Amino acid sequence: MTEVERAATVLAESARAGRPIVAFTGAGISQESGVPTFRGAAGLWTEHQPARVASREGFVADPAYVWRFHEELRRVCREAAPNPAHIALAWIETALADSVPTPVITQNIDGLHQEGGSRDVIELHGNAQRVRCTRCAYTSDDLPTAFEELPPLCACGALLRPDVVWLGEELPREAMRRAQQWAEQGGVMLIVGTSATVQPAATLPMLALQHGAALVEINPEATPISALAQVSLRGRAGRLLPELAEALATALDT
Ligand code: NAD
């Protein structure tokens, strides 16, 4: 039995027992769509200091600088298309729709899971294509291709900011509550393309483990999850997730 088949068996056992298969994804799943990860050789943070471009303090110090960085990230996300990994996860959701829940909990802000066809997506870190006001309750995802002036202002006169979670900020409460609920259901957590180091999102695999879930990982590199996972598949998500989906279909047929 190959490692992919072994992973498929873990997923199939959970599906047969009626327990959820919860995907937990990070920047690595979108790397093959051309959205750079934060860490790693071609990562965004090798060129930009996180504290300057992704923190409230950085935004207060120089909102136009943060917006220039964000507009570039927003353009990259908008122009990216879902890759076979996003599509395989959506396929699993459709294939198992009548038997078990298959939510996707993502740290990504690129919207590619939804574009790839996933319907039940929990965004822990917001969405790059949405803004919110720094003073009033205004939010919008109906944005121009590029803002004429940076930083953009709200109708109330205050600064608009990207509706994403920056370093040290609290996660959206409802999204985290739902993610924690899924992590407490047992079954399988399928962890794809995350270094599992960004807190508090990285607590979710540990929570799942404490509640009896099996962890299955897909990542080209070892992470803190690798030693805890029942199966840890080494390689690109765009190759391994479609293989896993196919092996799952076979395992469920037999
Ligand atoms: P990370 O940058 O810390 O780690 C990326 C992980 O992906 C690494 O472990 C790497 O080995 C792995 N990886 C690289 N290529 C891969 C591939 N082809 N297939 C599978 N795995 C691959 O990312 P993170 O853990 O998501 O945390 C970083 C934070 O950055 C998150 O909060 C996220 O919101 C944000 N972010 C999001 C995007 C996006 O929306 N696409 C992009 C960059 C950063």
Side-chain angles (χ1 to χ4, degrees):
M1 194 184 265
T2 66
E3 285 296 279
V4 170
E5 285 165 348
R6 229 160 56 76
T9 306
V10 176
L11 266 61
E13 273 168 15
S14 186
R16 283 202 196 94
R19 285 196 287 270
I21 295 175
V22 180
F24 177 56
T25 68
I29 196 168
S30 297
Q31 186 264 341
E32 290 161 80
S33 293
V35 184
T37 57
F38 271 170
R39 292 163 189 81
L44 288 169
W45 288 359
T46 52
E47 275 177 57
H48 297 276
Q49 289 170 23
R52 265 192 93 188
V53 296
S55 77
R56 199 177 298 218
E57 294 71 26
F59 185 68
V60 169
D62 193 346
Y65 180 82
V66 173
W67 262 108
R68 281 196 298 277
F69 168 81
H70 186 78
E71 281 296 84
E72 176 57 13
L73 183 59
R74 186 163 77 91
R75 183 189 64 73
V76 170
C77 292
R78 190 178 52 240
E79 291 176 0
N83 68 56
H86 299 103
I87 291 166
L89 276 185
W91 182 90
I92 291 174
E93 182 180 26
T94 305
L96 298 183
D98 293 335
S99 37
V100 291
T102 52
V104 177
I105 303 169
T106 189
Q107 301 166 83
N108 295 345
I109 57 174
D110 54 33
L112 289 175
H113 283 300
Q114 293 92 325
E115 265 191 65
S118 287
R119 290 180 299 269
D120 191 3
V121 181
I122 301 170
E123 293 181 320
L124 290 180
H125 290 165
N127 192 299
Q129 311 299 340
R130 205 167 53 223
V131 295
R132 69 172 200 259
C133 180
T134 52
R135 184 166 60 203
C136 73
Y138 176 80
T139 72
S140 177
D141 58 7
D142 184 16
L143 309 184
T145 308
F147 285 105
E148 275 174 25
E149 275 183 43
L150 296 178
L153 299 179
C154 180
C156 80
L159 290 176
L160 288 175
R161 60 163 279 177
D163 194 8
V164 298
V165 175
W166 284 327
L167 297 171
E169 290 189 316
E170 199 184 332
L171 270 53
R173 285 210 188 127
E174 180 57 15
M176 194 55 178
R177 189 191 64 76
R178 286 194 60 216
Q180 283 168 334
Q181 263 184 355
W182 282 122
E184 290 168 0
Q185 301 292 311
V188 176
M189 186 171 272
L190 175 57
I191 302 164
V192 186
T194 176
S195 60
T197 53
V198 177
Q199 296 293 353
T203 58
L204 292 170
M206 302 312 294
L207 189 63
L209 201 59
Q210 283 160 15
H211 285 80
L215 308 184
V216 172
E217 177 182 58
I218 298 182
N219 198 308
E221 296 183 12
T223 75
I225 299 299
S226 307
L228 307 169
Q230 201 148 326
V231 187
S232 188
L233 300 174
R234 282 282 158 277
R236 294 181 295 104
R239 176 175 70 80
L240 288 170
L241 251 177
E243 283 181 22
L244 179 60
E246 205 179 321
L248 174 62
T250 309
L252 288 172
D253 271 351
T254 49

